[in-house]
Amino acid sequence: MQGRAHGYLVRSELLSWGADEWAHIKFGSIYHALRQLAKEGLLTSTDIPDWPGRVDYEITPAGDDEFMRLLRDALRHGNNRSDMLGAALVLLPALGRDEAVALLRERVDSLSAEQGDLVARVRDATSEKQERAHIRELLGLWEHSAASQAVWAHELIKRLEEGEYVMAGEETSS
């Protein structure tokens, strides 16, 4: 989102998102991750001669492709890690409005299928032996989580369709 950035700026941006609370990031590992992404060709690195030890990073076309793949997958799949969904929501404006809505509709479909499977598994767990019956509580928790996520996704879709948020390719209103 910043174009070119150094590790401290990346850390500051993550902190502004509250990522320290939901993404389980160890901030000391940011520099290692940036170096590794550069090694993999997903970022370029530039040493700053006037500032010894400072390295600026910029996303490459391959890095942009991987970023968009991860963003799309985090939005479309219902039962993924909360940190992946959190990151996708922070980065949602990188997508066009229509694509974001379509991906969220895929998420709702995924959650509905997951919910149906979990309802069947809760029913099966209820008929199991008493010593394993408590497992239905975990399955029930997951089923309720899928249901509430689907409601939330429907509400986000509605807000996007009503024009909330500035998305990729749109002008900001001043």
Side-chain angles (χ1 to χ4, degrees):
M1 293 181 345
Q2 301 288 337
R4 234 172 123 162
H6 52 87
Y8 186 78
L9 182 59
V10 171
R11 180 184 187 279
S12 296
E13 185 70 23
L14 290 169
L15 282 172
S16 77
W17 302 349
D20 55 321
E21 297 175 27
W22 52 263
H24 312 291
I25 293 173
K26 292 183 174 95
F27 287 108
S29 64
I30 289 173
Y31 295 95
H32 171 74
L34 291 169
R35 285 190 297 274
Q36 185 62 35
L37 291 168
K39 184 177 175 183
E40 294 172 10
L42 302 175
L43 298 175
T44 59
S45 61
T46 305
D47 291 317
I48 306 303
D50 295 340
W51 196 328
R54 178 172 158 173
V55 178
D56 281 0
Y57 296 91
E58 192 168 2
I59 197 163
T60 64
D64 195 51
D65 290 346
E66 180 65 3
F67 162 72
M68 294 303 286
R69 184 191 69 75
L70 290 168
L71 175 58
R72 289 173 177 127
D73 285 350
L75 285 174
R76 79 168 38 108
H77 298 297
N79 189 13
N80 55 12
R81 297 178 1 210
S82 62
D83 57 338
M84 295 296 288
L85 178 58
L89 292 173
V90 170
L91 299 166
L92 185 67
L95 296 169
R97 186 173 303 279
D98 291 343
E99 182 178 16
V101 167
L103 289 167
L104 287 164
R105 286 198 171 131
E106 285 183 50
R107 179 179 197 79
V108 169
D109 291 345
S110 172
L111 287 163
S112 294
E114 179 184 334
Q115 189 179 6
D117 177 58
L118 287 164
V119 166
R121 289 175 65 191
V122 167
R123 187 176 48 249
D124 292 346
T126 301
S127 65
E128 287 186 14
K129 295 180 182 174
Q130 185 61 31
E131 65 269 10
R132 294 188 39 89
H134 63 281
I135 293 172
R136 76 175 169 261
E137 297 302 333
L138 176 61
L139 297 170
L141 172 65
W142 292 343
E143 187 268 326
H144 285 281
S145 177
S148 66
Q149 281 194 45
V151 169
W152 165 83
H154 277 296
E155 291 170 358
L156 177 55
I157 289 168
K158 181 180 177 200
R159 287 189 296 278
L160 286 168
E161 290 176 334
E162 290 172 349
E164 283 196 43
Y165 315 116
V166 177
M167 304 297 286
E170 297 176 352
E171 297 285 324
T172 59
S173 57
S174 300

